[in-house]
Amino acid sequence: MLYEDNHLLAVNKAAELPTMGVAEDRESLLTVAKEYIAEKYDKPGNVYLGIVSRLDAPVTGLVLLARTSKAAARLSEAFRTRQVRKIYLAVVAGRPPEDAGVLEHYLRKDERHRKVHVTHAGAEGAQQARLSYRLLGSAGGLSLLEIELDTGRKHQIRVQLAKIGCPIVGDRKYGGSEDFSPGIALHSYRAEFEHPVRREPMELKARLPKSWSRHGGVSRLPLPS
């Protein structure tokens, strides 16, 4: 656990652990977190936890959960109105055309193939997606990027980086050719937001998985400690 009080729980999600929404016989971040709360505080019956941010199963890092309905409502509104600053780290193949920039695309879900595609503004189901990135270093044909989301679309970072020819390492769904099991080289690293009850500014960070430093190519990049 990264942070815990009566209103919030922040965790560092492992690779390939779904956030929620899986069959009852499958483990998810939500079920693990509920078991943790039930055991630590000896709570009988159902434990309330509200997921206010999600990560794709292969993505690691910071996820916020609300321990009360009030905190859940306020945090959900903060995410909706873009009052939460979310920073990711990604290792991609190649190097972006510029060392820093903004990516804007329109994305459309393909439920049949469980993917997301880049489309045009007038397409049915199209949603605008926007992020900014900054190059932190390059080595051996790989680049480390810091990414800040402006919108929170499904698979957004993965699709947008692949679109500019820089697929995330390990992300075979979107063009990555190099193995990075478990998961992919995308990590929810930092979040800045206002505490939903105390109204104090907060900044939380999630350490990178050890798998990043064990991967030969990735370990050559300037990874944060």
Side-chain angles (χ1 to χ4, degrees):
M1 300 301 165
L2 300 173
Y3 178 83
E4 180 181 346
D5 65 20
N6 292 333
H7 313 283
L8 284 180
L9 190 67
V11 301
N12 192 351
K13 189 183 86 63
E16 301 302 350
L17 180 66
T19 304
M20 61 181 296
V22 295
E24 291 184 4
D25 60 341
R26 286 191 63 195
E27 190 174 65
S28 70
L29 179 69
L30 183 59
T31 59
V32 171
K34 283 186 174 184
E35 289 170 3
Y36 165 79
I37 294 293
E39 182 176 338
K40 181 173 181 178
Y41 297 102
D42 194 23
K43 285 182 171 287
N46 188 43
V47 172
Y48 176 84
L49 278 178
I51 297 282
V52 293
S53 65
R54 301 187 188 188
L55 296 178
D56 300 339
V59 181
T60 58
L62 177 63
V63 178
L64 293 176
L65 301 94
R67 293 191 58 193
T68 65
S69 57
K70 177 190 287 188
R74 290 180 176 177
L75 278 173
S76 295
E77 178 65 11
F79 274 99
R80 189 187 69 81
T81 55
R82 302 177 185 177
Q83 298 177 51
V84 179
R85 189 179 183 207
K86 296 181 67 178
I87 306 297
Y88 290 75
L89 296 176
V91 178
V92 302
R95 182 173 179 143
E98 299 179 353
D99 288 352
V102 175
L103 302 182
E104 291 188 78
H105 299 97
Y106 283 86
L107 306 183
R108 179 172 59 187
K109 296 178 184 177
D110 179 353
E111 300 292 357
R112 180 181 176 185
H113 297 99
R114 302 180 69 180
K115 293 183 69 175
V116 174
H117 300 287
V118 174
T119 185
H120 57 88
E124 182 180 355
Q127 293 182 308
Q128 187 179 29
R130 178 185 171 97
L131 61 78
S132 58
Y133 71 87
R134 181 167 65 96
L135 178 69
L136 300 181
S138 294
L142 303 178
S143 296
L144 176 65
L145 304 181
E146 180 185 84
I147 297 158
E148 182 170 356
L149 282 180
D150 188 41
T151 56
R153 309 304 185 194
K154 183 177 181 179
H155 297 185
Q156 175 180 341
I157 298 174
R158 302 163 66 182
V159 178
Q160 290 194 270
L161 292 179
K163 181 63 177 177
I164 64 168
C166 294
I168 294 172
V169 170
D171 194 2
R172 298 186 185 278
K173 182 184 285 282
Y174 292 108
S177 58
E178 191 169 348
D179 181 63
F180 194 75
S181 57
I184 63 177
L186 178 60
H187 182 75
S188 175
Y189 180 58
R190 189 171 86 243
E192 299 174 13
F193 59 99
E194 184 181 80
H195 191 282
V197 177
R198 299 199 305 267
R199 300 301 194 188
E200 299 169 353
M202 296 191 67
E203 179 180 351
L204 299 175
K205 290 183 180 180
R207 292 176 66 91
L208 287 169
K210 293 180 180 179
S211 59
W212 286 52
S213 59
R214 289 197 297 262
H215 186 284
V218 174
S219 65
R220 295 169 59 189
L221 296 167
L223 303 176
S225 57

